Amino acid sequence: MANRDDVLNDFTIEEELLPETLKAYLQRYPEYTQDLLALFNELSMNDLEVAEASLPLESKAMSTEVLRVQHVRQTLFGSGVREFARDLGLPRGFFTGLNADIVHLASMPMGLLKALAKKLDVHIQDVISGMQQGDGQAVAMKSDGKPGNEVPIGFENYVEHADLTEEERRALKTLLADDGSD
């Protein structure tokens, strides 16, 4: 079994921290899922903040739909994830991995998508778009290697490896049971 600190250190010095890199580490070290997701989130948000700070002012003007999708990304993968996860009784690392590059979007229960849309006060399509955009990295990077055909994992498989406590599993079950209607 690999040392946790060594795995996290190796992850931080990866040349490019892309969802594919995270997925590879999650598959190799499922016992460190929570730590890897939290670290990926923290490092991605730092990159996003630097990229957003360098945008010209006129590029920051956005449509209502784009703002809703950005709200989803910030809440699920960014600065709002800690509070959002706490309110729902789930670890923040659980939401970090809910992007379409890690978890196959079609495998996510419709009840989850509806519940997240309701909790975020957005449309289901905004949640889907936010997940498709993943962690929100705004900068395209050149790769030294050819892109891999990494297939996202299924939602059930993701939940199995998320190492949720019984209380967190009950919170997820409650969230899944919420169909988004009042």
Side-chain angles (χ1 to χ4, degrees):
M1 182 179 202
N3 179 315
R4 175 189 170 273
D5 292 335
D6 290 343
V7 170
L8 296 178
N9 284 334
D10 289 348
F11 184 72
T12 57
I13 60 172
E14 283 288 332
E15 195 167 311
E16 293 186 79
L17 284 179
L18 301 172
E20 295 81 22
T21 307
L22 173 62
K23 184 176 178 192
Y25 271 80
L26 290 174
Q27 289 173 338
R28 263 185 277 159
Y29 308 104
E31 65 273 20
Y32 303 127
T33 297
Q34 296 291 4
D35 295 321
L36 288 165
L37 289 172
L39 182 58
F40 181 76
N41 182 50
E42 184 178 328
L43 295 172
S44 296
M45 287 314 302
N46 287 341
D47 291 346
L48 179 60
E49 289 168 5
V50 167
E52 285 180 346
S54 67
L55 288 175
L57 202 48
E58 54 274 358
S59 296
K60 294 179 183 178
M62 298 178 218
S63 71
T64 305
E65 180 182 354
V66 171
L67 289 172
R68 288 191 316 258
V69 172
Q70 182 182 29
H71 170 62
V72 169
R73 288 182 18 226
Q74 285 298 317
T75 304
L76 295 181
F77 311 118
S79 59
V81 70
R82 179 176 286 144
E83 183 178 337
F84 186 70
R86 185 179 53 237
D87 290 346
L88 295 178
L90 290 164
R92 70 179 179 179
F94 178 80
F95 291 104
T96 305
L98 284 183
N99 70 62
D101 290 333
I102 304 295
V103 179
H104 190 342
L105 198 54
S107 73
M108 290 187 202
M110 185 55 76
L112 175 66
L113 299 174
K114 287 180 179 179
L116 290 174
K118 179 181 174 186
K119 301 278 185 208
L120 295 168
D121 194 28
V122 297
H123 304 290
I124 291 175
Q125 186 57 46
D126 299 328
V127 173
I128 292 169
S129 294
M131 289 178 173
Q132 287 173 330
Q133 293 177 17
D135 60 25
Q137 289 185 332
V139 180
M141 304 271 192
K142 287 192 174 184
S143 174
D144 290 336
K146 293 181 179 180
N149 288 336
E150 297 291 328
V151 178
I153 62 176
F155 180 76
E156 288 183 17
N157 191 12
Y158 177 71
V159 171
E160 284 177 29
H161 288 89
D163 196 28
L164 299 175
T165 66
E166 280 304 313
E167 186 176 321
E168 292 166 344
R169 287 187 182 279
R170 282 191 298 275
L172 178 60
K173 188 175 181 179
T174 300
L175 185 63
L176 290 170
D178 183 358
D179 68 357
S181 63
D182 286 327

